Amino acid sequence: MYRERAASLIPGATAVWARQAESGAAVRVLPDGCMDLIWHDGDLLVAGPDTTALLVPGRPGDRYEGLRFAPGVGAAVLGVPAYELRDRRVPLAALWPQREVRVLADRGAALERLIADRADRADRAGLPDPVREVVLSGLRRGQRVPELARRTYLSERQLRRRCLELFGYGPKTLERVLRLQRALTPARRGTPFAQVAVVAGYADQAHLAREVRALAGLPLTELLAGG
C-alpha cells in the first residue's frame, strides 16, 4: 500500500509519502533524479539519486515514511554534494549530528515539519539555485550541454561539476533520467509506445525501448505490468 501527498512546508520538497509492505516482494525503485529522506523502524536513511533501477527487499508489514526532494534540491538541504550519495543508501547519522538525527527518528510522522527549519536555512543560503533552474528548464526543452553552459555562464567542465554537486550526475545522465520519467506518464495512461517516444523526446520507439531497459532493467511492457 502506497500513498503520497504534496509537500507544503519545505521549498523544493515534492512529496511526503508512506508505504506499507503487504508481502515480501521486492519493490522496483526507478531513477527519477530525486533524493529521499526515509524513516523506517526508528531509523533515518538518505536515498541518493539513482542511475539505474534498484530492487528494495521488504517484509510483510514493513512501514516506511519519506520526504522526497526534487532534482537538485536534496544536496543543499542535507549539506552533502549529491554525487557522494549517488546510487547509495546512507544513514542520516553519518551526515548530521547524532542528537539531531535522534530527534527526527523518534518523531518520524512529523518528518516534514521537523526538517523544515534546516530547509529554510538552505533556502536562505541560495535556493533556488540558478544553475539548477537553467539546467532543468533547458533539458526539458531539449537544449544541449553547450547551450546550457552558455546560459549559465560556465564552461562545459564547470557545468558538469555543478551538475554533479546538485543532481549527482552530469547533464547527459540527468537528461536520460528525466526523459524516462516523461515517458512513463503517458505510457501508464495507455498511450501507444511510438507516440510515447515522440512526446518524451526519443529518436524513435527503438530508442525508447533501449533506454527503458537500460535504466529500469526491464522492457517497457513488463515494467508497466508491475515488474
Side-chain angles (χ1 to χ4, degrees), residues 86-171:
R86 182 178 57 234
D87 293 321
R88 297 179 64 198
R89 302 299 183 263
V90 179
L92 185 62
L95 309 176
W96 287 7
Q98 290 194 3
R99 177 177 296 182
E100 187 173 358
V101 173
R102 280 198 300 271
V103 171
L104 289 168
D106 289 344
R107 301 174 64 185
L111 197 58
E112 183 187 16
R113 180 166 51 82
L114 292 170
I115 207 78
D117 179 60
R118 179 179 280 262
D120 184 59
R121 295 198 299 270
D123 186 50
R124 292 196 299 269
L127 284 175
D129 186 292
V131 172
R132 170 187 179 269
E133 303 301 319
V134 169
V135 169
L136 289 175
S137 65
L139 289 178
R140 291 188 185 107
R141 294 199 297 269
Q143 293 180 344
R144 300 303 181 189
V145 172
E147 176 65 11
L148 295 176
R150 186 190 65 78
R151 292 184 59 208
T152 54
Y153 303 98
L154 298 171
S155 69
E156 291 185 29
R157 179 176 296 181
Q158 290 172 325
L159 176 63
R160 174 174 169 75
R161 186 161 57 245
R162 288 290 291 123
C163 284
L164 288 171
E165 293 169 350
L166 287 166
F167 304 105
Y169 18 65

Side-chain angles (χ1 to χ4, degrees), residues 3-212:
R3 67 180 187 276
E4 72 173 49
R5 63 172 175 81
S8 58
L9 300 179
I10 302 174
T14 62
V16 178
W17 58 267
R19 180 173 68 84
Q20 182 165 335
E22 297 179 342
S23 71
V27 175
R28 184 177 299 271
V29 178
L30 301 179
D32 58 6
C34 298
M35 296 171 63
D36 290 71
L37 181 59
I38 302 170
W39 179 90
H40 169 60
D41 199 22
D43 293 321
L44 282 165
L45 191 71
V46 176
D50 295 319
T51 55
T52 57
L54 178 72
L55 286 175
V56 180
R59 298 170 300 179
D62 274 358
R63 181 167 160 264
Y64 302 83
E65 296 182 11
L67 182 61
R68 181 170 300 124
F69 297 101
V73 172
V77 176
L78 297 170
V80 181
Y83 65 81
E84 293 188 7
L85 302 172
R86 182 178 57 234
D87 293 321
R88 297 179 64 198
R89 302 299 183 263
V90 179
L92 185 62
L95 309 176
W96 287 7
Q98 290 194 3
R99 177 177 296 182
E100 187 173 358
V101 173
R102 280 198 300 271
V103 171
L104 289 168
D106 289 344
R107 301 174 64 185
L111 197 58
E112 183 187 16
R113 180 166 51 82
L114 292 170
I115 207 78
D117 179 60
R118 179 179 280 262
D120 184 59
R121 295 198 299 270
D123 186 50
R124 292 196 299 269
L127 284 175
D129 186 292
V131 172
R132 170 187 179 269
E133 303 301 319
V134 169
V135 169
L136 289 175
S137 65
L139 289 178
R140 291 188 185 107
R141 294 199 297 269
Q143 293 180 344
R144 300 303 181 189
V145 172
E147 176 65 11
L148 295 176
R150 186 190 65 78
R151 292 184 59 208
T152 54
Y153 303 98
L154 298 171
S155 69
E156 291 185 29
R157 179 176 296 181
Q158 290 172 325
L159 176 63
R160 174 174 169 75
R161 186 161 57 245
R162 288 290 291 123
C163 284
L164 288 171
E165 293 169 350
L166 287 166
F167 304 105
Y169 18 65
K172 292 183 179 180
T173 300
L174 177 63
E175 179 185 25
R176 294 178 65 209
V177 168
L178 297 178
R179 187 170 54 195
L180 171 67
Q181 291 299 320
R182 287 199 304 271
L184 290 176
T185 299
R188 286 169 175 153
R189 292 198 298 259
T191 302
F193 291 171
Q195 187 176 342
V196 169
V198 173
V199 170
Y202 292 95
D204 50 32
Q205 186 173 337
H207 184 204
L208 166 66
R210 289 194 302 271
E211 284 290 281
V212 170

